[in-house]
Amino acid sequence: MNTRMEHDTMGQIAVPADHHWGAQTQRSLENFKIGGQRQPREIITAFAYLKEACALANQEAGKLTSEQAGAIAAVCREIRAGKWDDEFPLVVWQTGSGTQTNMNVNEVIAHLAGDRGVQLHPNDHVNASQSSNDTFPSALHIAAALSVTEQVLPEAERLAAAFKRLEEAYPDLIRIGRTHLQDATPLKFAQEVSGWRELVEAPCRMLRAALPELEKLAIGGTAVGTGLNAPRGYDEMVCRRLREMTGADFTPDENKFHALTSKDALVFAHGALKALAANLMKIANDIRFEASGPRCGMGELHIPENEPGSSIMPGKVNPTQCEAVTMVAVQVMGNDAAIGFAASQGNFQLNVFLPVSAYNFLLSARLLGDVMDSFRVHCVEGITPNAEKMADNLNNSLMLVTCLTPKIGYEAAAACAKKALHDGTTLKEAVLALGYLTGPEFDETVRPEKMV
């Protein structure tokens, strides 16, 4: 491998000649060969937004020339476009402040600008008015906010819309309800689907409520929150540029001592992601149980048959999309635990669990966005009810007895239900045998369409 020599304050080190990073990136590569999980692409994109905004703010404050700021901005736009993805090889499991990733970005920007004739120092120019201690928390919040608005919410809205269409397609279909995994009183299929829809929509409202806190940034706090070496008003200058670039309402955190050491906004926002995951788990379980069969299960729903389900049982088809949803839900719940533990570990003026927090939050957002899209396209949009099976179960249910309670009382109604179950007869036969109602009276009273 061809190399070139780079230096930092610790001396010289050989760097691959065909890459644009510098000495600190190379030291991190050599010192942290752990796991292989690279910094999320969303973090690099967020840094590219942040570094461009910082450069333009530094130009506004007179700390960079227009040529220097312009060169940084041009490279940052290319990074966001994905042109230089191979230049960001560092793993998650590094320094807890993310310093090496901050320097990786600084070094790549400086080298690429130098290739175009603008000489920049990664610290003095690209990192001007900044510290890793305020840039990584800021990039983390930028990435988290954008992942919610660009990955999670759009897919959740599409999934909710698919449920809305299913709900509207069968407005009058009645099915038996179930509570405690036992028969309950009837409801409309559309009513059940409306519950699934709201299980998606409610966490979306929670996510939107979390965004204002995620959009508060630590930038301008520099090393410990005092803003040392940053111009007055720098934080607002940076956030103004970020608002222009992203359309998100990024603002300076008014208390930088809080912003550098606390990850409470991340915990709160990820709690909404966990709520969404929990609700998706419930929806997927409902659908796969109601579609179970095809002959020996509930069989009240038909779901798309996407692929063979067994290597030994011919013709078997499984609810695989539901299974993918539930696995993602489990992963998100695990990620939530990691984020909570990490957020509790802020010591003095800095939390040094930032890369692991970023990794877990962004993994959750990416997984939820992807699985909702897959679940919608390959399952939900193809769901059809088995109306005949629903009618059979409805008419065979003993819990229709509930509507008799006002006429014959709770204890008499219970006796009818128990007799029907014991004798293996219909509810009507039991009621008539016990003499509580006549046939016409039963037929007039037990009408499922009036029970929903």
Side-chain angles (χ1 to χ4, degrees), residues 308-383:
S310 174
S311 60
I312 187 173
M313 293 176 279
K316 195 174 194 298
V317 179
N318 295 329
T320 51
Q321 289 295 318
C322 295
E323 291 166 6
V325 170
T326 56
M327 286 192 290
V328 165
V330 166
Q331 183 65 57
V332 172
M333 292 173 192
N335 293 348
D336 190 75
I339 288 171
F341 286 130
S344 73
Q345 297 302 305
N347 300 129
F348 307 115
Q349 279 68 61
L350 188 65
N351 180 294
V352 291
F353 287 75
L354 299 178
V356 70
S357 298
Y359 175 74
N360 281 279
F361 190 100
L362 297 170
L363 176 59
S364 290
R366 195 180 316 120
L367 286 174
L368 286 169
D370 287 350
V371 84
M372 284 189 291
D373 177 58
S374 182
F375 186 46
R376 173 180 58 84
V377 171
H378 300 294
C379 183
V380 173
E381 290 180 344
I383 290 175

Side-chain angles (χ1 to χ4, degrees), residues 220-354:
T222 64
V224 296
T226 61
L228 180 67
N229 293 346
R232 183 179 296 276
Y234 182 72
D235 54 359
E236 176 51 41
M237 286 188 279
V238 173
C239 287
R240 185 178 75 247
R241 301 288 186 169
L242 286 170
R243 290 193 294 271
E244 293 169 357
M245 284 188 279
T246 66
D249 191 23
F250 293 114
T251 59
D253 193 314
E254 294 181 2
N255 190 318
K256 301 297 192 294
F257 308 102
H258 161 265
L260 267 62
T261 196
S262 173
K263 293 279 83 59
D264 48 13
L266 208 67
V267 172
F268 183 68
H270 198 276
L273 293 179
K274 182 173 72 169
L276 176 59
N279 286 359
L280 290 172
M281 174 79 84
K282 181 262 192 293
I283 294 168
N285 280 337
D286 282 358
I287 290 172
R288 65 173 167 176
F289 285 128
E290 291 177 15
S292 61
R295 292 189 174 178
C296 300
M298 287 176 65
E300 293 190 356
L301 292 181
H302 298 299
I303 59 176
E305 298 182 353
N306 296 320
E307 66 275 314
S310 174
S311 60
I312 187 173
M313 293 176 279
K316 195 174 194 298
V317 179
N318 295 329
T320 51
Q321 289 295 318
C322 295
E323 291 166 6
V325 170
T326 56
M327 286 192 290
V328 165
V330 166
Q331 183 65 57
V332 172
M333 292 173 192
N335 293 348
D336 190 75
I339 288 171
F341 286 130
S344 73
Q345 297 302 305
N347 300 129
F348 307 115
Q349 279 68 61
L350 188 65
N351 180 294
V352 291
F353 287 75
L354 299 178

Side-chain angles (χ1 to χ4, degrees), residues 144-166:
L146 294 181
S147 72
V148 167
T149 58
E150 295 177 0
Q151 295 179 354
V152 180
L153 289 176
E155 292 302 340
E157 289 163 358
R158 293 185 187 102
L159 179 57
F163 283 129
K164 182 68 173 176
R165 290 190 294 273
L166 183 61

